Amino acid sequence: MSRNKELIELEQRKAFSLAMGGPDKVKRQHDKGKLTVRERIERFVDAGTFVEVGILAGQSEYNEDLTLKKVIPSNFIMGRAKVDGRPVVVVGDDFTVRGGSNEGAVGEKLIFAEQMAYDLCVPMVRLIDGTGGGGSVKNLEKKGYASLPQMKSWSYVARNLSRVPVVSLALGSVAGKGAARVAGSHYSVMVQETSQVFVAGPPIVAKLGQKVEKNELGGSTIHTRNGVVDDEAESEEHAFSRARKFLSYLPSSVQETAPTTDAPKHVPDQSWLVDAIPENSRKVYKIWPVLTTLFDEDSIFEIGKNWGKSIVSGVARIKGRAVAFAASNPYHYGGSWDRQTAEKFVRLVDVAELFRLPVVHLIDNPGFMVGLDAEKSAVMRAGVRALTAVSQTTVPWFSLIIRRAFGVGGGAHQNSNRFNFRYAWPSAQWGSLPFEGGLEVAYRAEIEAAKDPEAKHREIKARLESVVSPFRTAENFNVEDIIDPRETRERLVEFAELSAKLCQPREYMVGYRP
Amino acid sequence: MSIHKITSHISGHIVDCEVNVGDKIAEGDTVVMVESMKMEIPIESDRSGKVTELLVNVDDDVAEGQVVVVIS
């Protein structure tokens, strides 16, 4: 009988946790267009798979007879679950309890969850809504002293980033340490309008004289354009589906290989690729149709759509095998790399190298962005980091030069100290710089000495045009092969199949980057 | 009626204006062409609307972030 009493108390305590901050706070959460943490977990994971850890954690109040009066549950919920049949650790902040800020067991639970993902070798998924473990001013009096920020949990966050896929979803106003946990991921997504990410919110920023509302300060139009967060979603459900999709391309940890899917039954028509690149090299073209033709149907998952826009990049499949890809986007800066593009490229290459995904790189890159704005943004620093990241890769690499490859930026198309699959389309042009830009300088004396400088200019230009044909480069085996664009998918399939055994788990080592 | 400003995402030289005041345009329509990086780069509208102001002419130079067209 006495055991029954304990079981009753156990259920009573669980009921307090399941009720979260109470009906009023739950209603307020719903009124803001947000789900509660428990609804989020339920909708994110496979039905019925959530095994909660630490449901009893919280702050209790007792009656005079020492029986339990109530429990204010911990506002950090965590546990194990399955996503598309594969195990994960999932954590979430409960904004209905003290606005998701640090109280009681949060710090310990946060570290426990990160450790659990590390030791179980399963992905870590964070549903972040609040400061997510950061401190609050109210804590000061309660604790009686000011804590020196030590970010003890960060070493666990950091080591997971080299071990398991880490995905963060910003689902409310996320500040301080919560914001750091969003950015500290392999993939992050935030919800338009209902989520914000900032170091500190509008009331604190107002003291700098900046009167901005929360979406102006840290909404998705700020942080999915600067790369703090990879992508924005239209709703929480949309964010969940993006997180699930991202995970579907990756192994559960660095100790496994990426899962494959069945090869597609239908392969898109390849014939139009002959005309994919305009004959006039000054004209832009859309890269998306090229990608959807080359990769398996419906397999492209773009990452970072709204930042670093000179490349379209993400993960995709070739005959069911996962690859990372980056492709130049001539619509943005003519495809030249600005600082953000270089940073986005590094982020992609790091995920590919860590989780052993082969890389497919489609190049139409006139070089790093030029001009005053580009110089002020330190494009060379970011560009050189990207160049170094490429040189540090060991994963199989496939480069396809579809049009321009110029200068140092163009040189980032592959790691030239090892074997790469490299092809060019007949539309390719390359060099240290497009000769149109260097002609006047290089031939100044000859042009100025001519009786008809304009005619001399035209003559020199015609001479140069004849020698920049990619076939002349191929004659000298400076590019291995120029292929008919219609053969590209076949070459990609061969690459993906040969890459399989080269993508086995191995120690991840990255050297210094300038 | 809200107004929306379409900006050039790149600095360069205007080589073509593809809309006139009064035109109805759809999201994704090209409003002006900017020559930059030796290419003609279309500046597209990021929403649909009616052109109320065309703020550049052919041969103008534009800076990154400069408003080229206003729509309502």
Side-chain angles (χ1 to χ4, degrees):
Chain A
M1 290 299 285
S2 61
R3 292 290 172 232
N4 275 346
K5 194 177 147 198
E6 286 157 3
L7 286 176
I8 289 167
E9 181 173 339
L10 178 61
E11 290 309 311
Q12 192 188 2
R13 284 175 180 269
K14 281 185 182 174
F16 279 118
S17 288
L18 295 175
M20 297 173 280
D24 291 348
K25 294 282 178 59
V26 167
K27 183 177 180 302
R28 209 186 294 175
Q29 180 85 350
H30 286 157
D31 289 347
K32 285 183 198 157
K34 302 197 293 181
L35 299 170
T36 65
V37 65
R38 291 188 178 280
E39 289 166 339
R40 285 169 178 161
I41 291 171
E42 193 182 297
R43 293 183 195 197
F44 174 67
V45 307
D46 296 351
T49 61
F50 182 53
V51 178
E52 187 166 349
V53 178
I55 191 173
L56 302 180
Q59 289 180 331
S60 303
E61 287 179 28
Y62 292 91
N63 297 308
E64 280 184 9
D65 64 357
L66 298 182
T67 54
L68 184 68
K69 188 175 172 187
K70 72 166 183 174
V71 182
I72 299 172
S74 161
N75 52 20
F76 186 84
I77 314 295
M78 64 148 163
R80 299 176 292 274
K82 286 188 175 174
V83 169
D84 295 334
R86 301 163 71 206
V88 300
V89 167
V90 60
V91 303
D93 303 314
D94 185 354
F95 193 80
T96 68
V97 176
R98 288 184 290 257
S101 68
N102 181 19
E103 288 286 344
V106 167
E108 293 302 317
K109 285 181 89 176
L110 197 154
I111 288 173
F112 186 95
E114 296 280 341
Q115 203 164 33
M116 182 158 62
Y118 186 89
D119 285 332
L120 290 175
C121 289
V122 299
M124 177 81 207
V125 180
R126 310 187 188 116
L127 311 174
I128 304 176
D129 186 358
T131 58
S136 69
V137 175
K138 278 187 181 168
N139 270 0
L140 270 177
E141 275 200 294
K142 198 168 188 175
K143 287 168 71 174
Y145 70 97
S147 314
L148 173 66
Q150 305 203 44
M151 294 289 282
K152 278 184 186 163
S153 62
W154 203 258
S155 59
Y156 297 90
V157 169
R159 66 179 196 157
N160 268 343
L161 287 169
S162 295
R163 171 103 156 176
V164 296
V166 177
V167 176
S168 290
L169 297 82
L171 301 170
S173 286
V174 171
K177 194 172 172 186
R181 288 168 62 234
V182 172
S185 321
H186 298 115
Y187 181 67
S188 57
V189 58
M190 65 189 293
V191 183
Q192 292 168 347
E193 301 298 328
T194 57
S195 80
Q196 300 82 32
V197 174
F198 19 62
V199 176
I204 293 173
V205 168
K207 291 175 184 164
L208 302 175
Q210 295 173 7
K211 305 273 186 263
V212 281
E213 59 93 23
K214 58 187 179 180
N215 275 317
E216 290 172 327
L217 181 64
S220 67
T221 56
I222 301 291
H223 288 310
T224 62
R225 273 60 171 174
N226 64 16
V228 167
V229 177
D230 291 304
D231 284 310
E232 60 185 350
E234 291 159 12
S235 63
E236 293 193 16
E237 292 281 3
H238 184 211
F240 301 154
S241 82
R242 287 199 66 83
R244 279 194 293 264
K245 182 91 173 165
F246 174 76
L247 288 173
S248 72
Y249 293 87
L250 296 184
S252 290
S253 78
V254 294
Q255 298 187 352
E256 296 175 36
T257 51
T260 55
T261 60
D262 292 338
K265 291 193 178 75
H266 172 70
V267 174
D269 172 33
Q270 305 287 305
S271 63
W272 77 275
L273 290 175
V274 173
D275 299 316
I277 309 300
E279 277 194 40
N280 181 346
S281 63
R282 298 169 62 81
K283 297 290 182 194
V284 297
Y285 56 90
K286 303 268 187 193
I287 191 63
W288 262 95
V290 174
L291 297 173
T292 53
T293 303
L294 293 177
F295 294 126
D296 291 358
E297 224 168 10
D298 299 323
S299 78
I300 300 173
F301 181 77
E302 185 179 5
I303 300 172
K305 182 183 177 186
N306 292 309
W307 69 287
K309 287 163 72 173
S310 302
I311 55 170
V312 172
S313 60
V315 281
R317 293 188 181 279
I318 300 167
K319 233 180 159 181
R321 298 181 191 280
V323 297
F325 75 91
S328 302
N329 172 18
Y331 270 73
H332 198 76
Y333 294 149
S336 59
W337 283 17
D338 60 345
R339 179 182 182 141
Q340 287 193 352
T341 300
E343 288 172 350
K344 186 164 95 170
F345 189 77
V346 169
R347 199 162 151 68
L348 178 85
V349 166
D350 281 348
V351 165
E353 181 68 14
L354 177 62
F355 295 111
R356 311 300 298 166
L357 298 182
V359 176
V360 175
H361 190 193
L362 275 59
I363 302 108
D364 180 1
N365 183 353
F368 294 146
M369 187 62 193
V370 300
L372 183 60
D373 291 338
E375 299 295 350
K376 280 183 172 174
S377 78
V379 65
M380 186 54 83
R381 170 72 57 214
V384 164
R385 282 183 69 80
L387 201 62
T388 308
V390 172
S391 291
Q392 290 166 341
T393 56
T394 61
V395 282
W397 195 283
F398 182 107
S399 295
L400 176 68
I401 302 166
I402 56 180
R403 195 156 67 175
R404 298 156 304 164
F406 286 101
V408 178
H413 68 268
Q414 67 172 24
N415 176 356
S416 293
N417 66 16
R418 64 185 173 92
F419 167 74
N420 297 261
F421 289 76
R422 180 166 61 184
Y423 298 99
W425 280 359
S427 44
Q429 318 156 23
W430 39 58
S432 301
L433 76 169
F435 72 80
E436 295 92 333
L439 190 158
E440 287 81 359
V441 178
Y443 291 88
R444 181 182 294 151
E446 198 177 333
I447 293 169
E448 284 176 356
K451 280 183 184 165
D452 182 349
E454 281 187 25
K456 178 58 82 179
H457 187 283
R458 282 196 298 277
E459 179 203 314
I460 294 169
K461 192 175 171 203
R463 265 174 18 217
L464 292 176
E465 274 170 352
S466 70
V467 296
V468 297
S469 156
F471 292 111
R472 293 223 186 184
T473 310
E475 278 172 19
N476 290 284
F477 197 59
N478 193 226
V479 65
E480 295 77 19
D481 280 298
I482 295 169
I483 58 170
D484 183 329
R486 292 168 294 190
E487 294 169 13
T488 309
R489 181 161 162 102
E490 285 171 47
R491 300 279 72 80
L492 281 168
V493 169
E494 184 207 15
F495 165 72
E497 287 175 345
L498 285 172
S499 295
K501 72 174 179 184
L502 305 173
C503 288
Q504 297 302 311
R506 57 180 281 178
E507 196 177 351
Y508 176 67
M509 289 192 298
V510 168
Y512 176 78
R513 286 182 193 155
Chain B
M1 189 177 70
S2 65
I3 63 161
H4 179 68
K5 294 171 179 172
I6 301 168
T7 56
S8 175
H9 65 263
I10 189 165
S11 56
H13 191 71
I14 301 282
V15 290
D16 193 16
C17 296
E18 303 204 353
V19 294
N20 292 303
V21 171
D23 287 358
K24 281 187 180 167
I25 57 171
E27 182 180 337
D29 283 357
T30 298
V31 292
V32 298
M33 293 288 267
V34 176
E35 185 185 68
S36 187
M37 302 300 288
K38 299 183 183 62
M39 295 192 67
E40 290 171 9
I41 299 170
I43 305 302
E44 297 178 337
S45 179
D46 51 355
R47 62 183 71 175
S48 59
K50 190 174 173 182
V51 177
T52 55
E53 287 180 80
L54 175 61
L55 298 168
V56 290
N57 295 305
V58 171
D59 284 342
D60 284 356
D61 289 326
V62 287
E64 184 173 339
Q66 183 176 333
V67 179
V68 290
V69 164
V70 179
I71 62 172
S72 64

